[in-house]
Amino acid sequence: MLKKQISQTKKQFAFWFNHPVDWTKPVRTLYLVGWCATRSGECVRAIRGRIGRRKFSGNYGIMRPDVAASHGPAAVRSGFALAVPLPPGKSRLTIEAQDMTGPWRPIASHEVIGAPNDEESPQDVKYFIPNPGANSRIEFWLDRPAVWTKKIRYLRLSGWSVATSGAELSALRARLRGRVFQARFGLVRPDIAVLFRNIPGSLGSGFTIDVFVPPGRGELILEARGDDGPWETFFVHPVRGPLWHEEFDEEHEAVGDYAFWIRRYDRLRAADRRAIRRQISGLQKRPLISVLLPVYNSNPKWLERAIKSVQAQFYPEWELCVADDASTKKNIWPLLQKFARRDRRIKVMRRLQNGHISAASNDALALAEGEFVALLDHDDELAPTALYFAALALQENPGLQLLYSDEDKLDRRGRRFDPYFKSDWNPELFLGQNFVSHLALYRTELVRRIGGFRVGLEGSQDYDLTLRSLEQIEPQQIHHLPWVLYHWRAEEESTAAAATAKPYAQQAAQRAVQEHLDRRGIAGTVVPHHGCYQRVEYALPATRPLVSIVIPTRDRAALLRKCIESIFARTDYENFEVIVLDNESREPETHEYLARLSQQERVRVQRSEGPFNYSQLNNRGVALARGPFVALLNNDIEVMNASWLSEMMSHALRPRVGMVGARLWYPGGTMQHGGVILGVGGIAGHAHLGVRKEDGYFSRAHLTQNFSAVTAACAVVRRDLYQELGGFDEAHLPVAFNDIDFCLRLRAAGYAIVWTPHAELIHHESASRGLEDTGEKQSRFLAEVEYMNTKWGETLQRDPFYNPNLSLDEELFTPAFPPRLTRPWKK
């Protein structure tokens, strides 16, 4: 009956819960935050929660201009906050809304769990009540935090702020107990610009700010000001920092948010441990996992910790296979024997002569009786949940052949730092970088079938092992465990401390990749690239197919001239034609230039009438193309390196590659496009935006790799494939996100998206059309946002080439607070 009632009321009410994210988490008080409006866009009268006969009134009428931007001005006060004390154990919570004329109606129902206490419950909901420090001329909203915790050391706030009268805001800051924290202010917020169409500064009203909360209670104050005006308070809220914490030094500060992230999201409580053990006891499939540990003249302290980290595993079905590679240190073998005597799951053997790591690993493999083998270095440590997560994945997918996890590093004091939150399986990135590395688990039968570890590839023997494994398995048999399960000790001579510590390892890596390509019959050459990594240069055929370069344009002749001239002057791929789609240019200078262009043998100019529709212009250009390949190019692009098209074509010619994107730079020398990450800003955003020559996240700014999407400002695609999938969506995505949508359709059809940093161009972004700075443009933009969310909502929430532990706000490749993961023992 309740489900039927909710189904009926969903036709009347629209709503969303920003909090909680996890309804099943046991809490003492459940705090609900969100918005609710009628389908016609009007606010409702009130909202409440109900458990049985107990009713809990909500705080309704909170300003939600973000909702008004997409659902109409009447929904501007559609926000609500609701605190529900939960009885111990499971119960059913029903959320009810009341419109202006009718009775209470149920809009949602969830099973919830009450706990005796909840350390992470928010202290109060004062944030959702009109704030006593608010300034009447400054409108604002905090997107983050959605809920304020009782105690917190690092506080990141983000939102928007607009002055509705007086001087336009130019700066924003936070004050807390005598310390000042400057905000990053001026972030583009088209949704707020729609709401405040005639207010200066509304488009650039977004901000983020990081605050360190000292021990004890304090009052957080947010202030803003115009160019030279006084600081004006617009938000006040009590905060509280933990009383007990270790002193910070420079080295610890360098660890940054990750130390806090660990304490918050990667620490197990007693209840977690009990739940994990219960879940393990209920597993139907409990494969034996053999941990391979080659040892040679190890630091006894670190070796002992490595062994104990295996013994500390929650998952009990393991054995440790240790091969001592004829260590000359006298205390190594007795230490291993001691552990073997005390734990029957530990097997040890001693080689008579030193054979290096490949030979020692093969001897450890010979001891293994498990269905899977896991690789452990003699000075590293496993997280206690490492084998548990692997066993859980194998329970859900018994056909897996290779599993790998996220990892971080340990300093001399045993503190964790430098986490590598990895991509899901990314074959292009793997050819340039062994991101599988640690922790890796392989099906034992597979490892033995391919001959184990190869002698002569020392330093990259595990990289070579993975490459040879790939030749025997399918991509769907590879699984990424998005949890930090391996801690890599960063000693002075360790590769973890410096990638160049073992130059022989880099040479072995290049050899391993080259031989992998040769075995698969792929014509390509592996060359060193960006320090310790490598690049595959794929061979082009002797007869190079014609490429049709499609360029939509309108006026701005100087911009188009720079684009066209750079193509002809700096492109070493000679077999191309240029198709210019003129969308109602009006400037005489442009007409003259287009007339001259049309006289060139390799250029065609086609007039295209009608309002600007980027999708339609590209579709018309592709229809005119003579070549089997099409290069989509914006008119504000300028070629930098002559091999740009050769490089992109070397990938586009490969089977099952759908679209190839390039590395684009702003004129000032910062990166504009390094691939696209889904979910950023709600839909998608560019990776490594603003990077100059820095490495980027684990050098990903400089390595060829797969992404979910690339920008069509410069992209290469097969013409028949483009047309087969219907091209860009003219009806729903005339300007924005059409390239994202097309790439997602390519991936759904089984094609890969490749981004290469070796095709480099300058992008004078939006120089010809300008910013989304009018109400009409911003309304259209929001409609495109709504369409993408409706069509690809779930896909946008989990980009396989990013990581759920990484942030989706403007600080990409930093830890997410919170991660977009649910602990499996809490499902």
Side-chain angles (χ1 to χ4, degrees), residues 558-690:
L559 202 65
L560 178 63
R561 182 183 296 109
K562 182 178 290 186
C563 174
I564 298 289
E565 289 179 354
S566 71
I567 292 172
F568 281 94
R570 303 178 199 146
T571 303
D572 63 10
Y573 189 101
E574 297 180 352
N575 194 17
F576 68 85
E577 65 170 356
V578 175
I579 302 171
V580 178
L581 278 300
D582 174 28
N583 183 211
E584 296 188 348
S585 292
R586 293 179 173 85
E587 297 172 355
E589 182 186 359
T590 303
H591 290 164
E592 292 174 8
Y593 179 63
L594 292 176
R596 291 197 303 272
L597 270 182
S598 63
Q599 302 303 312
Q600 295 189 30
E601 182 181 353
R602 299 163 70 185
V603 179
R604 282 184 286 157
V605 178
Q606 177 71 39
R607 180 80 171 179
S608 182
E609 304 293 339
F612 178 78
N613 186 317
Y614 183 79
S615 294
Q616 185 181 76
L617 290 169
N618 278 288
N619 291 346
R620 290 176 178 175
V622 173
L624 294 170
R626 299 189 183 113
F629 287 84
V630 175
L632 306 178
L633 210 65
N634 281 10
N635 66 344
D636 53 2
I637 292 289
E638 180 183 355
V639 174
M640 290 177 64
N641 65 324
S643 61
W644 72 279
L645 190 52
S646 296
E647 168 67 14
M648 298 179 79
M649 281 297 294
S650 73
H651 294 283
L653 283 159
R654 294 162 52 207
R656 307 309 297 177
V657 170
M659 182 172 273
V660 183
R663 178 159 64 174
L664 305 182
W665 300 90
Y666 285 119
T670 59
M671 195 180 301
Q672 184 264 339
H673 175 249
V676 170
I677 296 172
L678 302 181
V680 179
I683 304 297
H686 291 184
H688 294 111
L689 185 69

Side-chain angles (χ1 to χ4, degrees), residues 40 50 277 307 362 371 387 429 496 517 537 659 691 806 818:
S40 60
R50 179 171 54 80
R277 291 189 175 99
I307 295 173
N362 282 330
E371 186 176 344
L387 302 186
L429 180 61
L517 297 178
E537 296 179 338
M659 182 172 273
V691 166
L806 292 174

